Amino acid sequence: MASTTGETLAAAEPIADGRTEEGEEEQVVNPWEVSAKGGKIDYDKLVDKFGCQRLDESLIQRFERITGRRAHVFLRRGLFFAHRDLSDILDAYERGEKFYLYTGRGPSSESLHLGHLVPFMFTKYLQDVFKVPLVIQLTDDEKCMWKGLSVEESERLARENAKDIIACGFDVERTFIFADFSYMSPPIYKNIVRIANCVTGNKIVGIFGLTLEDYGGKFFFPYIQAAPSFPSSFPHIFSGKYSKLRCLIPCAIDQDPYFRMTRDVAPRLSYHKPALIESKFFPALQGESGKMSASDPNSAIYVTDSLKDIKNKVNRYAFSGGQDTIEKQRKYGANLEVDVPVKYLNFFLDDDAELLSIKEKYGSGAMLTGEVKARLIEVLSEIVERHQRARAAVTEETVDAFMAVRPLPRMFG
Amino acid sequence: MAQTKPNYLPRAVSRVQRGRESSLSACSFHAASINPFLKSLNRNLKPIYSPAPRPPLLIRRRRRSMAFSKDQLLARLQELKIEFLSCDHPAVMTVEEQAKYVGHLGGALSKNLFLKDKKHRLYIISALANTKVDLKILSQRLGLGKGGLRMAPEEALPEILHVALGSVTPFSLINESARSVSLLLDKGFKSQRYCLFHPLTNEVTIALTPSDFDKFLLSIGREPAYVDLEDCPVVGKDNPPDLAYLVPAEALNLPGGADKVPPTSAPAQTNATLEQKTKQPTQKPKEPSKEQKQKSGKDKINADAVADSTNVEKFVEKVLEKVSNVFISELSKQSNAEDGNIKDHMLEGVKQRVSSDLLSMTMTLKNSVYAQGFHAGIESTLYPLANKKIVERK
């Protein structure tokens, strides 16, 4: 399925800072910056530029057929919209060949918002329906290098973030969480060096837009993020018949550059190319102008928000596509294209019928902005409350258990 | 009690008489002193009890997870101080045949049906030989609609009841594998002096009093459910199914012949049940290498059991199932005027709303419990080392 053609790094690479030859400013999507002219990201162009494939209806139906249950709401509503080699993974799974999941987080701050949880919620769904193991990388070294945090602070943040990740409901029998600083050890370091021997500095500059002014660690870090895609990095989990296990990486689309590089390296180390399933960016409360930002507290719903905070934020800051007055609203209806509450409901409201009804009524004017926002507040409150309850139950021992280097005997059970 | 001449088959008698002298004399004394019925029996037919129960407790405990044999069952009856008459005869496949050998005992012969419904729940219906059992009516009374009851697949007999074809008996419920099988008893048994059943094999029939039979059922954790099997009430809006409370809470994964749902349909089915159905090996009753297959099968069953008990989704499913069944039956008792559909719809709504939270809470519990165990494991490994250091320092 076109996994080897057209994927050379040279062909797929945009010029890293987003400018075309004419000097025109295009949208910028890379692991450290996401912005677009007019605020709206053109995902079709992005998919073309990166060279990945769109996740279409037939794949979603295939998901449902193989797993025997309804696809996750993020799949159905197109939040996870692109992939690389997903059909190969599904083919292999149908043949009885397993795979493992790999995702991660850069622990730059203690406060997580719902946008951060999106890949984890989806990964949990994948873990449940396919019954496969999962490794989660906490890149405390990356944040040390890019954000100038001290090593100790990064480590602390990694542990705190681990608690929120655990609260998403991962199964301890199948999940291994590790932080780069504490997990660095012979198996994974050897893989990192093997990968490093396959990718020149020029390529790194091409992919990540680094210059000689940047600290050397930044050149080295991509190899660290690539290494968990190879099962031999975790010999305590994947040994024997699982030493060449396939890997599926759910992530946001801005992480694609790392894994393009990894996919290029994989065959040279005789591993399967890791498959990817990629998501769009979760819209900020103020509207479609890029990712939610951890630095602006009103751009997102945080997992530590109280019910009152959620109500306040949605009512005051969520960008509405409704008309200015009630009369106009009743007459013309709302602009569903830009309305943020409807976008949020699109991703968090599981009931298809109810969503359709809300869209119809709101678009025709039968429903008011306040009502839509009220429903959104309900939905978000439930999610946040559940998360907070689970988070409160996570102890240091639980984190230790998830992060212990231990075999997972029933990871496919 | 009319005596019948001992002109039944000599074969049966000779087998009986072959019993051990000592046990016979002891047993017959015991029987005669308490069982007036036996006094009136022809001397030739002496009651025999099974050989002494297996003494080593260790072996018996391990056996509990395997199938019970006739001897173990009879031993259990003895433990419970249940008196019974036992009669050996050639294998019989029908009640008429059975009557030829044991009709003289003057007890009530039973016909035993092993049935299943559309949702793969299992039932044993044990009726007096001359009670008319109408499966259509029973199906409605159980709330399964018309035609909801069928004969269970043949493979389920050895798999779940651990008995051979022709040997269905309420006694098979002593097996752990049969814990979800529902038992319906003909209320006619209660007025009989003796009830006759197969003790896990159709080469033997035992006779015991109804109250002793109840005692046995209670000992395996069963509440005896006596039903007027010939009653045909009209089941409808004003008359909810009167036997609905006897429907088992749990459906069993039936081997092989169960109604397999093709993988392309029914997205509502969970991945877990699909996997299990294709995993289950179909065990044929007469296989030469059965021992070996059973052993590896048992390992697999053990592994599956562990996987089952740590599966959060299955746990939540069972909890919701249990709660909804009880809720439905309570509702049926209270308000007859409710429509079955409304109740189902309501339950679905409740389940939807509560599922996510239940799943999250259960996963939290599982992770916390694992973490504690893990911690304990580490501490227990370090403990002797830590201790050693202290001792050495001294």
Side-chain angles (χ1 to χ4, degrees), chain B residues 73-357:
Chain B
L73 170 68
L74 298 184
R76 177 69 76 82
L77 292 179
Q78 277 193 294
E79 273 175 49
L80 295 167
K81 307 250 190 301
I82 291 178
E83 284 128 36
F84 58 91
L85 264 181
S86 169
C87 183
D88 288 11
H89 48 69
V92 292
M93 296 300 284
T94 64
V95 174
E96 292 76 22
E97 272 193 80
Q98 191 185 22
K100 280 192 234 159
Y101 300 114
V102 297
H104 65 285
L105 290 177
L109 280 163
S110 65
K111 60 184 173 192
N112 298 277
L113 302 166
F114 186 37
L115 307 169
K116 79 164 181 72
D117 65 19
K118 289 190 180 149
K119 291 193 178 168
H120 310 303
R121 293 176 291 216
L122 298 168
Y123 310 80
I124 292 185
I125 302 200
S126 193
L128 294 176
N130 42 21
T131 299
K132 285 199 188 54
V133 174
D134 186 328
L135 287 186
K136 280 202 286 283
I137 295 183
L138 272 176
S139 168
Q140 285 192 297
R141 287 174 72 188
L142 284 164
L144 304 171
K146 296 184 193 170
L149 277 179
R150 317 244 155 112
M151 300 299 282
E154 257 180 41
E155 299 85 19
L157 266 100
E159 183 81 20
I160 310 242
L161 297 185
H162 293 301
V163 295
L165 217 50
S167 315
V168 178
T169 163
F171 285 108
S172 59
L173 298 179
I174 197 177
N175 287 302
E176 182 57 23
S177 51
R179 67 186 175 283
S180 315
V181 179
S182 178
L183 177 64
L184 279 79
L185 296 165
D186 190 337
K187 76 171 209 281
F189 279 127
K190 290 210 274 201
S191 52
Q192 298 291 323
R193 285 178 83 163
Y194 295 97
C195 310
L196 302 180
F197 298 107
H198 284 309
L200 303 182
T201 163
N202 61 353
E203 293 180 332
V204 184
T205 300
I206 60 172
L208 72 171
T209 64
S211 56
D212 277 340
F213 182 56
D214 282 349
K215 195 167 161 189
F216 165 76
L217 288 176
L218 289 167
S219 81
I220 57 169
R222 294 268 181 170
E223 184 76 37
Y226 287 97
V227 167
D228 183 353
L229 290 172
E230 289 188 322
D231 185 18
C232 33
V234 175
V235 173
K237 217 165 55 154
D238 299 321
N239 252 354
D242 63 322
L243 299 179
Y245 66 99
L246 290 169
V247 172
E250 212 179 51
L252 285 173
N253 291 312
L254 293 176
D259 308 316
K260 270 208 176 104
V261 179
T264 48
S265 74
Q269 244 191 2
T270 59
N271 190 35
T273 34
L274 258 180
E275 259 196 299
Q276 274 221 330
K277 275 195 182 140
T278 47
K279 250 196 205 170
Q280 285 268 5
T282 36
Q283 289 187 357
K284 296 191 176 74
K286 280 157 193 162
E287 261 199 44
S289 60
K290 195 179 178 195
E291 276 293 321
Q292 286 177 329
K293 270 206 169 175
Q294 266 195 346
K295 276 200 189 130
S296 59
K298 235 131 249 157
D299 288 334
K300 207 172 185 196
I301 291 172
N302 282 334
D304 288 344
V306 179
D308 265 357
S309 58
T310 53
N311 187 318
V312 163
E313 286 178 351
K314 281 196 186 148
F315 176 76
V316 169
E317 227 179 276
K318 283 187 201 161
V319 167
L320 286 177
E321 185 82 33
K322 228 183 174 59
V323 171
S324 20
N325 284 342
V326 170
F327 199 67
I328 278 207
S329 68
E330 285 292 313
L331 267 180
S332 312
K333 286 185 198 163
Q334 302 294 343
S335 56
N336 296 330
E338 290 245 16
D339 184 15
N341 276 336
I342 295 180
K343 262 183 265 171
D344 276 334
H345 196 69
M346 210 169 67
L347 267 177
E348 273 314 304
V350 168
K351 277 188 197 174
Q352 291 265 24
R353 291 177 57 183
V354 116
S355 280
S356 310
D357 280 338

Side-chain angles (χ1 to χ4, degrees), chain A residues 24-48:
Chain A
E24 205 185 274
E25 223 185 279
E26 278 204 355
Q27 59 188 21
V28 175
V29 177
N30 65 47
W32 308 283
E33 192 193 334
V34 173
S35 63
K37 64 174 179 194
K40 199 160 178 209
I41 306 244
D42 188 341
Y43 287 104
D44 288 320
K45 263 199 187 160
L46 198 58
V47 165
D48 285 334

